[in-house]
Amino acid sequence: PTTTTPTPHPPVMPGHVRRVRAIGQPKYDAAGGLIGCIHYARRCAIVAPCCGKVVVCRLCHNVSAEATGCEVETLDRKAISEVVCGVCGARQAASNRCVNALCGIEFAEYYCDVCHLWSKPSPELKVYLWHCEGCDLCRKGDRNAFVHCETCRTCVDSEHKECRRDFNRTNCPVCFEDM
């Protein structure tokens, strides 16, 4: 007997876009494809590991947690394991490219497989994104302008001269919220 394996991804005709419904403040292009939210520019939504809801980003989840009924106020970005393609709607393992052979789009210009951060850097504004192994988080700015200081336990200006132990106990250099 011949058996067929069902395709795990919805078929997509070239030029056809499936509108992904995601919690948060999604932004769509003219064709209806997801292009991000007010926090990040990217072509995928994440599946929140805490509640299984499809949300545009972790910050949208955190703002919408009460409205969605999720008991987790702060989504753990490192626990993200699934995304939904913003063009074809295929649910898949976290990566930077849609696994649907009929789609195959890249989700963002920058992707960190550690922090599960998808975004679009802005070289014209001199905004670059990069992952610091020492801090174990993504940073914003020119990578060559920073060094990781083991005493301060954070990234500092490359001309840094004065160390302050545990300096990273201040605000995040990306979102300016308490780390």
Side-chain angles (χ1 to χ4, degrees), residues 86-159:
V87 173
C88 74
R91 190 167 173 155
Q92 59 203 279
S95 71
N96 195 33
R97 183 164 301 279
C98 181
V99 296
N100 183 345
L102 296 174
C103 180
I105 66 156
E106 184 177 75
F107 297 138
E109 289 179 33
Y110 176 82
Y111 170 63
C112 176
D113 195 40
V114 177
C115 295
H116 297 295
L117 172 64
W118 293 261
S119 196
K120 180 180 180 181
S122 181
E124 63 276 0
L125 300 176
K126 296 193 180 348
V127 174
Y128 303 95
L129 300 170
W130 49 279
H131 183 84
C132 173
E133 295 294 329
C135 294
D136 195 31
L137 55 85
C138 288
R139 295 281 183 185
K140 181 167 63 171
D142 184 354
R143 184 178 208 149
N144 297 323
F146 293 92
V147 294
H148 183 82
C149 176
E150 291 300 328
T151 301
C152 295
R153 292 178 39 190
T154 192
C155 288
V156 293
D157 187 284
S158 58
E159 297 183 21

Side-chain angles (χ1 to χ4, degrees), residues 1 3 8 11 21 25 29 41 60 62 90 95 115 117 122 139 148 161 168:
T3 59
R21 293 202 172 119
Q25 298 179 20
D29 62 16
C60 286
N62 297 348
S95 71
C115 295
L117 172 64
S122 181
R139 295 281 183 185
H148 183 82
K161 293 177 178 57
N168 69 343

